[in-house]
Amino acid sequence: MNAENFGASERLVNAAYVRQGAQGRRAHELRLRALLEQGKCPEDGWDESTIELFLHELAIMDSNNFLSNCGVGEREGRVASGLVARRHYRLIHGIGRSGDISAVQPKAAGSSLLNKLTNSIVLDIIKLAGVQTVTNCFVVPMATGMSLTLCFLTLRHKRPKAKYIIWPRIDQKSCFKSMITAGFEPVMIENVLEGDELRTDVKAVEAKIQDLGAENVLCVHSTTSCFAPRVPDRLEELAVICSNYDIPHIVNNAYGVQSSKCMHLIQQGARVGRIDAFIQSLDKNFMVPVGGAVIAGFSDSFIQDISKMYPGRASASPSLDVLITLLSLGKSGYRQLLKERKEIFSYLSSQLRKLAEVYNERLLNTPHNPISLAMSLENLDKHSDMAVTQLGSMLFTRQVSGARVVPLGSLQTVNNYTFKGFMSHTNNYHCAYLNAASAIGMKKQDVDLFLKRLDKCMKTFRKEKSNGKDVPEMDNCTKHTSAGETED
C-alpha cells in the first residue's frame, strides 16, 4: 500500500480510519528504513508481522515473483510445490552468482538485498560479541568443516608451494578432514598437560615451522571452542608466531561467538599478531538449523577472495534463517542470551561438582574453557572395563543428548591417520571423564534434568558394586561413548 492506494481507499472507508491504518503501516516501514540505512541489527527485536512484511517485500523484488515475468532459462525460480515456495517465502533464486557468493543477481534484487543485509547484521553481532575490529564477513551455506576447507583452498593460490598445515591437536573429525579434503597434510602438534588442562605447545609449533620451512606451511589452524579438558589455543602467542614467520592463521571458532572469552582471544590475537580468518557455525551460535557458517576476518580483500572461491550460486536458507532470528531477537535479546549462558555455565559447574563428590569423582579443573566442563570417571572406570561406555549408553537411552563419556586409550583412524586416546585430545590422559557443556539457549531445567538422570545412572553402578556384580549388559543398545553424537 502506497500513498495513492491509501488515498483511493478513502472512497470506500472513512478517511480517518484509513489514515490511522496508514500510520500503523508507517511504523513498520520506519523499521525497514532504519535497517536499510544502517545495516545493523536493531536494538530491540521485531515482531513477526514486521519480519514477514519485510520478507514479502523482498520476495516481490525477485523476477520469479513478477506478475508479467516470462522466464525461458534453465534457472528461473520455478518451484513445483507451493509448500516449498512458502517455506522459503518465495525467495527461490538463492544468493551470489557463479563467480562470487557475495555478488548481486540482476534478476533477484530481493534475494541479493537479503544476502547483503544478513552479512551486515551478522558482522554487527560479531562486534557486539567481542571482536570489535573485524572488518568483513559473509554467511556461507556450509557447516564449519567445509567452510574451513574453502579457506584453505583460497590460501593455496597465495602459497602454491605450501603442503603442510600446523594443527594443535583437537579430537574432532570435521576440522581434521577439512585439511585432508583441501589436499594438505596436517602436522599435528600434541597438547601439553598443565594440571588437568590440555594447552597449546607453543614452542613445538614454532620448532615445527622452523623444521618444515615457513614457505612450506600453508597456515596454522588453531581452535577456540572445544571440549574440556582441552582449552582454547593460546591465540595471542600463535598469532605472534604467524606474524613473525609470515604464515597465515585460520581459527576454528565453531561455537565461540557465544563466549566472550573466545571472542576476546580472537580480538587480542589480531591486535598483537596475525589472524587471517575465523570461522563459526550458525546453528551453534544463533540457534538456527544446521547448514551454515560465518567466515569473518580483518582484511576485506582476503574475505572477498574466499567468497569468490565458492563455485556457483548458493542456498539462501542459512542466510534467511539467521536474518529472521537476529531480527526477532535484536541486540538486546542476543545480549540477554549470552548473559544467561554464562549464568548457566556457573550453575552447571557448581552442581556437577557436587554430584561428582557424591561418587568420589571430581570436576576437572579447566578454568580456561568457558563453555565445556569435564567430570572424572576414574572410580567408575575401576568398576569394570565396560563401565564408562556403559554410562554413555545409559544416558543415551534416557534421552540425554550432547553429553560425552570419554574412556581411556581409544583408537580411531581418520583418513589413514590413527589417533591414540581419541576424543581426549592427547595420547594418554590421566583419567576417563564425562563432558557437559553450557551452550546458548540452554535452560536451568535442562541442567537439573541432566543431573537427575546422571545421578540415577551413577547409582546403578554403586548398587552393582555393593552387590558384587559385574556391570549389566547393554541389552540391545549400541555401545555409546556419548549421549548422542560423538562429535559434530
Side-chain angles (χ1 to χ4, degrees):
M1 294 285 285
N2 55 27
E4 291 179 356
N5 289 335
F6 278 118
S9 301
E10 293 179 4
R11 291 181 298 176
L12 303 172
V13 177
N14 185 291
Y17 301 156
V18 171
R19 285 194 295 272
Q20 187 178 40
Q23 290 171 359
R25 180 180 175 88
R26 177 66 174 166
H28 292 287
E29 292 176 342
L30 287 174
R31 287 182 170 182
L32 305 188
R33 179 179 175 181
L35 177 65
L36 292 169
E37 289 179 345
Q38 299 170 12
K40 294 184 177 180
C41 187
E43 180 61 31
D44 298 315
W46 289 4
D47 60 285
E48 291 186 4
S49 61
T50 303
I51 295 173
E52 289 186 329
L53 172 64
F54 180 47
L55 295 177
H56 287 304
E57 294 280 355
L58 292 177
I60 60 176
M61 294 172 66
D62 284 0
S63 62
N64 62 292
N65 297 311
F66 293 173
L67 295 179
S68 59
N69 185 60
C70 176
V72 293
E74 82 289 352
R75 177 181 282 155
E76 298 298 334
R78 304 182 185 98
V79 177
S81 168
L83 182 62
V84 171
R86 291 192 298 275
R87 174 178 177 251
H88 294 277
Y89 286 90
R90 294 181 170 80
L91 293 159
I92 309 302
H93 279 285
I95 57 175
R97 302 187 75 180
S98 58
D100 185 352
I101 195 176
S102 297
V104 172
Q105 293 187 56
K107 61 183 176 183
S111 294
S112 299
L113 184 54
L114 179 147
N115 189 26
K116 296 291 185 181
L117 279 173
T118 300
N119 292 341
S120 182
I121 289 173
V122 170
L123 184 68
D124 191 36
I125 292 297
I126 289 175
K127 291 180 178 180
L128 177 149
V131 184
Q132 294 288 341
T133 58
V134 61
T135 60
N136 199 358
C137 77
F138 68 97
V139 172
V140 60
M142 304 185 296
T144 308
M146 285 303 295
S147 298
L148 286 165
T149 295
L150 189 65
C151 294
F152 300 144
L153 290 173
T154 304
L155 288 175
R156 179 193 292 278
H157 294 274
K158 298 179 180 295
R159 301 174 70 84
K161 295 181 180 179
K163 59 183 290 189
Y164 303 106
I165 296 179
I166 304 294
W167 181 61
R169 177 177 172 177
I170 175 169
D171 290 355
Q172 200 264 355
K173 291 181 183 177
S174 63
C175 60
F176 182 77
K177 293 174 73 173
S178 70
M179 299 179 283
I180 301 293
T181 302
F184 295 98
E185 182 177 332
V187 178
M188 191 188 317
I189 305 297
E190 289 291 337
N191 300 301
V192 292
L193 187 64
E194 297 181 7
D196 288 330
E197 292 185 324
L198 291 164
R199 307 208 66 187
T200 316
D201 190 339
V202 177
K203 291 182 179 179
V205 169
E206 185 166 19
K208 184 57 70 173
I209 291 173
Q210 293 172 347
D211 178 49
L212 296 173
E215 70 280 2
N216 296 315
V217 176
L218 182 82
C219 67
V220 171
H221 176 194
S222 63
T223 304
T224 54
S225 53
C226 54
F227 295 118
R230 197 193 190 280
V231 301
D233 281 320
R234 299 180 185 269
L235 287 199
E236 291 183 50
E237 292 94 326
L238 292 176
V240 169
I241 290 173
C242 290
S243 178
N244 291 342
Y245 289 89
D246 194 25
I247 294 175
H249 185 187
I250 304 297
V251 180
N252 177 6
N253 189 46
Y255 46 102
V257 177
Q258 62 191 280
S259 164
S260 58
K261 181 175 287 187
C262 290
M263 298 301 271
H264 176 73
L265 288 173
I266 293 171
Q267 178 64 64
Q268 288 298 101
R271 183 182 67 83
V272 302
R274 178 172 179 173
I275 291 179
D276 295 75
F278 56 103
I279 295 84
Q280 34 277 308
S281 166
L282 286 183
D283 62 283
K284 296 172 186 173
N285 293 291
F286 301 108
M287 295 188 293
V288 295
V290 172
V294 181
I295 299 176
F298 303 92
S299 165
D300 275 335
S301 61
F302 181 59
I303 299 303
Q304 288 170 12
D305 287 343
I306 299 173
S307 72
K308 292 175 182 177
M309 182 61 62
Y310 188 98
R313 286 179 175 82
S315 169
S317 290
S319 296
L320 180 60
D321 290 341
V322 74
L323 176 65
I324 292 172
T325 300
L326 291 177
L327 289 178
S328 299
L329 290 170
K331 287 183 181 177
S332 60
Y334 193 72
R335 200 180 288 118
Q336 180 63 26
L337 286 173
L338 298 181
K339 177 176 178 290
E340 290 174 358
R341 192 209 67 80
K342 282 188 176 181
E343 293 170 351
I344 293 297
F345 179 80
S346 297
Y347 179 69
L348 175 62
S349 177
S350 64
Q351 296 304 306
L352 193 57
R353 177 179 285 106
K354 291 177 183 177
L355 181 64
E357 291 171 354
V358 171
Y359 296 98
N360 297 316
E361 301 289 358
R362 64 189 183 90
L363 187 70
L364 300 182
N365 185 28
T366 56
H368 291 95
N369 194 318
I371 300 175
S372 177
L373 296 164
M375 183 186 89
S376 74
L377 297 176
E378 193 168 5
N379 288 297
L380 182 63
D381 199 25
K382 295 175 183 177
H383 184 77
S384 166
D385 292 340
M386 297 295 294
V388 171
T389 52
Q390 172 68 7
L391 176 61
S393 182
M394 292 171 71
L395 289 170
F396 179 72
T397 57
R398 285 161 178 78
Q399 299 181 5
V400 175
S401 61
R404 306 190 324 155
V405 294
V406 181
L408 293 174
S410 295
L411 292 176
Q412 178 75 49
T413 300
V414 183
N415 290 88
N416 298 320
Y417 289 78
T418 299
F419 291 78
K420 183 180 178 183
F422 187 72
M423 293 202 307
S424 64
H425 319 288
T426 187
N427 290 335
N428 296 292
Y429 196 67
H430 53 71
C431 68
Y433 57 86
L434 175 144
N435 279 131
S438 172
I440 191 168
M442 192 171 178
K443 303 296 183 183
K444 181 176 180 291
Q445 52 264 39
D446 295 322
V447 176
D448 292 337
L449 188 57
F450 160 63
L451 293 170
K452 179 180 178 181
R453 291 177 180 176
L454 176 59
D455 182 37
K456 187 175 181 179
C457 292
M458 296 294 285
K459 282 179 180 175
T460 301
F461 292 101
R462 174 176 282 182
K463 289 178 182 177
E464 292 294 330
K465 186 175 181 179
S466 64
N467 292 334
K469 296 180 180 179
D470 292 330
V471 177
E473 293 296 323
M474 296 185 191
D475 301 317
N476 295 322
C477 299
T478 303
K479 182 172 71 174
H480 289 273
T481 54
S482 67
E485 300 180 27
T486 56
E487 60 175 83
D488 51 46

